[in-house]
Amino acid sequence: MKQSRNTAAKSEILKLIDSSDSALSHSDIQSALDDVCDRVTIYRVLDRLVNEDLVHKILTFDGGVKYASCTSCNTKHHHDHIHFSCELCKTVTCIEEVEPSFKLPENYKVKEVNFTVSGVCPECS
């Protein structure tokens, strides 16, 4: 297995995502980094972090993508919790207390699952 490089950009992006209470978009990350690296580097680092299971990618209802820290990752990480998207403040958070389940017909092989629930978060209620 190829060893991943630990660049300054990767360290800063991972630190930013780890310290956030909610998932961050590419533009959130780019704004917070304030010229540490360019937008293409951010995309590359995010892809690398997802492939290394250090962060996970969340598809939002509006077609966007956000990234969150993998605090309880395991080999079935994408199947073991849901994401909650607040319609008012637009935050996306991981809800670890809910374990979703689903059944597929035979001969279907799951590559990735993204459970996202939309509503109003406790802060906005």
Side-chain angles (χ1 to χ4, degrees):
M1 185 166 129
K2 184 178 177 184
Q3 184 163 349
S4 176
R5 295 180 325 159
N6 192 16
T7 63
K10 180 181 173 184
S11 296
E12 288 299 313
I13 292 169
L14 188 56
K15 183 168 63 173
L16 179 64
I17 293 171
D18 283 346
S19 67
S20 179
D21 292 334
S22 62
L24 301 173
S25 68
H26 178 278
S27 61
D28 295 333
I29 294 166
Q30 188 172 6
S31 295
L33 289 179
D34 195 32
D35 296 331
V36 169
C37 55
D38 63 29
R39 65 181 185 79
V40 175
T41 301
I42 295 170
Y43 279 119
R44 288 182 182 143
V45 169
L46 289 171
D47 283 343
R48 187 178 325 140
L49 292 172
V50 168
N51 288 334
E52 294 173 0
D53 288 329
L54 295 172
V55 301
H56 61 278
K57 190 179 201 177
I58 303 162
L59 304 176
T60 62
F61 282 106
D62 62 0
V65 175
K66 294 198 175 193
Y67 300 87
S69 181
C70 289
T71 56
S72 63
C73 275
N74 56 41
T75 56
K76 64 178 191 88
H77 173 73
H78 301 291
H79 305 257
D80 66 0
H81 72 271
I82 66 169
H83 303 109
F84 187 88
S85 178
C86 181
E87 295 172 348
L88 299 178
C89 67
K90 306 299 182 202
T91 59
V92 176
T93 53
C94 295
I95 308 291
E96 304 286 342
E97 298 83 23
V98 177
E99 190 172 312
S101 65
F102 63 95
K103 286 187 176 190
L104 290 175
E106 278 188 53
N107 299 322
Y108 283 84
K109 294 183 182 185
V110 176
K111 180 180 176 192
E112 185 175 336
V113 175
N114 186 10
F115 287 101
T116 305
V117 177
S118 177
V120 179
C121 73
E123 300 295 319
C124 293
S125 291

